[in-house]
Amino acid sequence: MNAHEIDYHIYGEEMQYVEIELDPQEGVIAEAGSFMMMDSGIKMDTIFGDGSEQNKGFLKSILGAGKRLLTGESLFMTAFYHAETAGKKRLSFASPYPGKILPIDLSRFGNKFICQKDAFLCAAKGVSVGVEFSKKLGRGFFGGEGFIMQKLEGVGMAFVHAGGTTAQKELAPGETLKVDTGCIIGFTKDVNYDVEFVGGIKNSLFGGEGLFFATLTGPGTVYVQSLPFSRLASRVWAAAPQGGGKDKGEGSILGGLGNLIDGDNRF
């Protein structure tokens, strides 16, 4: 299916949002909860799946929605349409945590891009958001993203979100890049994705980097993020006060004095 042609602009640095410009009858699809703001004259609709199977019968719509459950997403997505007959309308979608929004022109990547399960933000109406199953047992168990990743298919624009700073790597045929399994944003369809054991007892037990690397072999394009959400969440959880709001004793005595100074006398 040909996707709608949309114009866009990405604003911000650490907490970005993408503003999309719609001509009459154009539309976009988005994950629930990513909407930020829009002009009047844009209609919003809730659809099964991504809506790409909407005109192919009820059963295919149900199957398309069911695929989204496998990636941990909601059964539904939100579609936005320019409902008027003249003029341009704008709407915006925000990133869920600090990082970057990457515009992916699917027509440049063979009409298919594979990304981690929670990376997709929004796309032109007509882009299909499906499921990519791992064909390798090792990759499924140890690849960080499990057996299932998302695949974006079509010829339009899609937008994915990543944490921290992003890097784009162009891999030549046979060239391999080793990446922390959680730091992958996505890659083009010709990239071969597998996992590799770190090796060595000391590395495995005390290295602190996990037991496996992701190995990405070209040809193709790979996008990598410096701060996957799982890493951010684990650091926040580790630093959070434990047990009724008391801190973990950082600075110990000084920490207690700090509590007295700022009026919090809980020790």
Side-chain angles (χ1 to χ4, degrees):
M1 178 184 291
N2 291 331
H4 295 184
E5 296 182 9
I6 57 175
D7 298 316
Y8 70 92
H9 188 88
I10 295 173
Y11 293 92
E13 294 298 331
E14 282 73 34
M15 288 296 293
Q16 294 186 326
Y17 71 92
V18 57
E19 180 185 82
I20 295 176
E21 186 178 81
L22 299 179
D23 291 319
Q25 308 309 312
E26 285 184 343
V28 294
I29 56 171
E31 286 290 358
S34 62
F35 170 72
M36 179 178 172
M37 59 182 173
M38 66 182 179
D39 292 341
S40 61
I42 295 176
K43 289 189 175 180
M44 184 174 66
D45 190 20
T46 300
I47 57 176
F48 272 122
D50 57 16
S52 61
E53 304 288 351
Q54 220 172 22
N55 298 322
K56 298 182 180 180
F58 179 73
L59 180 59
K60 285 198 172 182
S61 295
I62 292 293
L63 291 175
K67 291 177 183 178
R68 292 177 49 74
L69 286 180
L70 296 176
T71 64
E73 305 291 349
S74 166
L75 275 172
F76 302 93
M77 295 186 75
T78 307
F80 299 84
Y81 302 91
H82 187 327
E84 298 184 357
T85 57
K88 295 180 180 291
K89 300 293 182 181
R90 295 173 178 84
L91 72 163
S92 302
F93 301 95
S95 55
Y97 56 92
K100 301 295 181 183
I101 295 175
L102 301 180
I104 304 295
D105 186 351
L106 295 175
S107 62
R108 292 182 50 234
F109 297 135
N111 303 337
K112 181 178 178 180
F113 185 79
I114 300 166
C115 61
Q116 62 172 308
K117 291 183 291 186
D118 58 353
F120 174 72
L121 186 68
C122 61
K125 186 70 172 66
V127 170
S128 170
V129 184
V131 174
E132 180 76 6
F133 288 96
S134 171
K135 298 177 182 177
K136 296 186 177 181
L137 187 63
R139 170 181 154 186
F141 280 117
F142 308 116
E145 301 300 332
F147 286 101
I148 302 168
M149 298 182 77
Q150 282 186 327
K151 61 179 177 182
L152 310 177
E153 293 182 295
V155 295
M157 292 296 304
F159 300 88
V160 298
H161 179 263
T165 302
T166 63
Q168 178 180 341
K169 299 292 184 180
E170 299 293 338
L171 301 181
E175 182 182 2
T176 297
L177 181 69
K178 295 183 179 180
V179 185
D180 181 275
T181 55
C183 288
I184 298 172
I185 304 170
F187 45 87
T188 53
K189 65 179 182 179
D190 292 327
V191 172
N192 181 48
Y193 170 39
D194 206 345
V195 293
E196 177 182 308
F197 182 59
V198 171
I201 294 178
K202 288 193 296 182
N203 289 336
S204 301
L205 295 181
F206 309 113
E209 300 297 339
L211 299 178
F212 297 89
F213 292 125
T215 60
L216 302 162
T217 304
T221 304
V222 175
Y223 290 90
V224 181
Q225 60 187 337
S226 65
L227 185 62
F229 181 72
S230 57
R231 185 179 297 177
L232 173 64
S234 65
R235 294 297 177 89
V236 171
W237 177 257
Q242 305 293 319
K246 295 182 180 180
D247 62 33
K248 297 166 61 178
E250 293 179 344
S252 193
I253 295 176
L254 291 178
L257 292 175
N259 289 339
L260 286 174
I261 292 172
D262 65 15
D264 185 353
N265 57 5
R266 293 175 299 170
F267 285 87

